[in-house]
Every structure is written in structure tokens, then in C-alpha cells.
Amino acid sequence: MAQALTYETFERLPRSKPVDRIGYIARCCHGKVVLDIGCLDETALQKRDTEHWLHKRIANVATRVFGVDSSSKIPDEGLETADNAKIVRGDGVELSPAIITADNFQIIVAGEFIEHIESPLRFFRNMRTAFPGRELVISTPNGAAFANTLLGMIRREVQHPDHLHLFSYKVLNTLCMRVGFSDWEIVPYRFYATEMILGSSGARRVFVQFVEWIIRTVERMFPLLCFGYIVRVRL
């Protein structure tokens, strides 16, 4: 369970080493039947056929994967992404009864999802109602990330145009308490510049990789400045 917090300004928060987001979540899904929410728009097209696509990494190790995404790019009949994986079009917050009962899901994943939706609190409550006793794993960017501060110093900010929220360790902890969860863990994940690296070459790629290394070095020393958080919850 997450550390009990007093919410005083100078209280110390748990310190843990930032993990690789995709690798960590994939390991959570090993050998399990997975419901993967928001799994198509989570990734850029250039990552689709690489190891950097979370949905694909999950499918590589899971027994079965059933994905749900609201993207209009998904055909009416669904999108087969692997022999054991399929994505259908649907609402990831208000799941239809057909999706909830589609399989005996052991774990629900929502990678880089809650920052896009109007009510993260409603999403958590819906998951608790639909899948009691199961595990929920979500990831989301950290509003207090060092990468954001670095860009702010040069009058820049990188945000997806669909982002509606920014979270911190304490805000995520508050969401878990507000919903009434009794067992959860918040783990920092490190910075990645995958899309910029894949979209560049030569000296530009080397520069981006160097900046990535600098940011990750700072994150190792100060985990609360990590790029994002993974939250594991027992529903």
C-alpha cells in the first residue's frame, strides 16, 4: 500500500528508482488475460511495429489481450493486432457490458490514458465497480517532471493536444484514497524521447539521445522529478 501521507508541505515522499514504463507494465501482464484500454492512440504511428508500442509488448507476453480505444481508425469489426490480441472501438471510461464480460480479465491496463479523459475519478470508480478484486495498472505523465522544467526555461512545453490533466505523486495518491482503494503502489517511470529519436537521424539524433541521458541522470537522483508514474491498484 502507498505510504500514509499527512499532506504537509515538507513531508518526505517514498523514494524509488524510476523504471522503464513499457517493460514494467508488460511484466505485470505476463501470462495473464489483459484488458488494454486506450491502447491505439497511446502510441505514435512510427512506434506501431517496434518494441516501443505498449500494446504489442503486452501481447508478446500475455495469454490474451482485448483492447478498447475510441479511435475512428479502428474498423467496425475490430483490429487484429496479433494472434492473441484484438482492439475494438469503444469508450474506455464507460465500458459496455459486452466488453466487461468479453473475457475473464485478470488485469486492466490503461497506459497514458487518464490525462486524456474528463474525469479520472469516474474512470477509477467505474473500474472498481466493473472488475472488483482484479488489478489495474495505469501510467500517466508527471506534472512536476524535470523535462517540463527544462523546456520551460527555453519557453517551450511539450503536451499532447488532447491532454486535460497533469498529475503528481500526491494527486495520484489522493485519487486512490478518494475512490476508496485499500491497496495501491505508485512507481516513477523514466523519461523517454522515443518519438523524437525515431523521427531524427545523424547529429540531431545523437543530440536527442544525449538530452535523454541527462534527464534520466537527474531522475535517478531525484525520482519525484521523473517523467511519469505507474499506479498499480487492487480494485
Side-chain angles (χ1 to χ4, degrees), residues 38-89:
C39 51
L40 188 70
D41 287 346
E42 180 269 341
T43 185
L45 292 178
Q46 64 263 41
K47 293 194 289 185
R48 179 75 182 274
D49 296 320
T50 74
E51 64 177 0
H52 304 294
W53 188 23
L54 177 60
H55 179 77
K56 178 179 180 179
R57 289 281 291 276
I58 292 174
N60 286 344
V61 299
T63 300
R64 289 189 302 280
V65 184
F66 190 90
V68 180
D69 197 286
S70 60
S71 173
S72 59
K73 296 178 182 179
I74 300 172
D76 293 340
E77 67 275 14
L79 181 65
E80 298 284 346
T81 54
D83 292 340
N84 63 334
K86 180 178 182 178
I87 303 175
V88 300
R89 193 186 318 129

Side-chain angles (χ1 to χ4, degrees), residues 111-129:
E112 310 299 83
F113 179 71
I114 64 171
E115 65 274 12
H116 293 266
I117 60 179
E118 291 187 1
S119 177
L121 195 59
R122 182 173 183 83
F123 170 73
F124 279 125
R125 286 172 173 157
N126 287 350
M127 294 302 102
R128 188 185 188 196
T129 299

Side-chain angles (χ1 to χ4, degrees), residues 16 22 25 39 52-53 55 85 89 99 122 131 136-137 143 158 168 170 179 193 208 221 225 228 230 233:
S16 57
I22 293 178
I25 296 176
C39 51
H52 304 294
W53 188 23
H55 179 77
R89 193 186 318 129
I99 290 175
R122 182 173 183 83
F131 305 105
L136 170 68
V137 179
V158 176
S168 68
K170 282 189 172 182
V179 177
V208 172
M221 295 188 295
L225 299 181
I230 297 166
V233 177

Side-chain angles (χ1 to χ4, degrees), residues 22-232:
I22 293 178
Y24 183 96
I25 296 176
R27 287 191 294 273
C28 292
C29 298
H30 190 274
K32 297 179 181 178
V33 180
V34 182
L35 175 60
D36 192 8
I37 296 175
C39 51
L40 188 70
D41 287 346
E42 180 269 341
T43 185
L45 292 178
Q46 64 263 41
K47 293 194 289 185
R48 179 75 182 274
D49 296 320
T50 74
E51 64 177 0
H52 304 294
W53 188 23
L54 177 60
H55 179 77
K56 178 179 180 179
R57 289 281 291 276
I58 292 174
N60 286 344
V61 299
T63 300
R64 289 189 302 280
V65 184
F66 190 90
V68 180
D69 197 286
S70 60
S71 173
S72 59
K73 296 178 182 179
I74 300 172
D76 293 340
E77 67 275 14
L79 181 65
E80 298 284 346
T81 54
D83 292 340
N84 63 334
K86 180 178 182 178
I87 303 175
V88 300
R89 193 186 318 129
D91 188 334
V93 177
E94 304 288 345
L95 293 172
S96 70
I99 290 175
I100 293 172
T101 59
D103 211 331
N104 185 27
F105 299 116
Q106 297 169 285
I107 184 170
I108 299 87
V109 172
E112 310 299 83
F113 179 71
I114 64 171
E115 65 274 12
H116 293 266
I117 60 179
E118 291 187 1
S119 177
L121 195 59
R122 182 173 183 83
F123 170 73
F124 279 125
R125 286 172 173 157
N126 287 350
M127 294 302 102
R128 188 185 188 196
T129 299
F131 305 105
R134 259 69 69 83
E135 184 177 12
L136 170 68
V137 179
I138 69 102
S139 68
T140 189
N142 175 18
F146 174 68
N148 290 343
T149 300
L150 196 61
L151 284 169
M153 293 171 66
I154 56 172
R155 299 173 60 189
R156 302 289 190 274
E157 181 179 340
V158 176
Q159 292 292 343
H160 190 285
D162 291 339
H163 282 187
L164 299 176
H165 311 278
L166 284 176
F167 300 93
S168 68
Y169 185 98
K170 282 189 172 182
V171 172
L172 291 169
N173 194 76
T174 299
L175 283 171
C176 291
M177 291 193 303
R178 186 70 59 87
V179 177
F181 296 141
S182 59
D183 187 8
W184 70 90
E185 179 183 18
I186 303 174
V187 180
Y189 71 77
R190 60 177 173 258
F191 174 75
Y192 55 92
T194 305
E195 293 172 30
M196 288 185 285
I197 292 173
L198 291 176
S200 60
S201 60
R204 179 181 174 85
R205 173 173 287 193
V206 172
F207 175 73
V208 172
Q209 290 172 328
F210 176 67
V211 172
E212 182 182 69
W213 177 82
I214 290 176
I215 293 174
R216 288 184 174 185
T217 299
V218 173
E219 289 175 334
R220 284 196 296 271
M221 295 188 295
F222 306 103
L224 291 178
L225 299 181
C226 67
F227 195 60
Y229 288 107
I230 297 166
V231 185
R232 298 183 66 176

